[in-house]
Amino acid sequence: MKPMKPIPISAAEHIAKTYGYDQVIILGRRCHDSPEPQGDHLTTYGRNKDHCAAAAQIGDFLKFKVMGWTKKQSTT
């Protein structure tokens, strides 16, 4: 199996432009039953500043409220 890599914003942008969407949220998962290390990755895209903010807000909800990710503590 291929190693997990972050999904680039350019992939979400390509989907948005190809299929006519203002916002795209991509959630990639490798589940616990995989023989490879498990993990999740989430990428968001919005066609302008307002759509970027909306997609990011949806992405944060999915990461923290649905998937149970924890926010990293700031070191500053």
Side-chain angles (χ1 to χ4, degrees):
M1 186 174 284
K2 291 184 179 181
M4 292 183 302
K5 298 186 289 185
I7 300 165
I9 294 170
S10 61
E13 180 181 16
H14 173 76
I15 291 168
K17 290 179 177 179
T18 300
Y19 298 100
Y21 288 94
D22 297 326
Q23 302 164 18
V24 172
I25 297 99
I26 302 171
L27 176 62
R29 300 188 72 209
R30 182 175 292 162
C31 299
H32 67 279
D33 60 350
S34 171
E36 302 289 332
Q38 66 184 27
D40 303 316
H41 181 78
L42 191 129
T43 300
T44 63
Y45 169 81
R47 70 173 171 83
N48 61 31
K49 187 176 178 179
D50 291 335
H51 287 295
C52 283
Q57 187 173 13
I58 294 165
D60 283 347
F61 178 82
L62 291 171
K63 288 188 298 188
F64 303 121
K65 299 294 184 180
V66 176
M67 303 300 293
W69 294 10
T70 57
K71 294 184 182 183
K72 294 180 181 178
Q73 297 296 317
S74 174
T75 57
T76 60

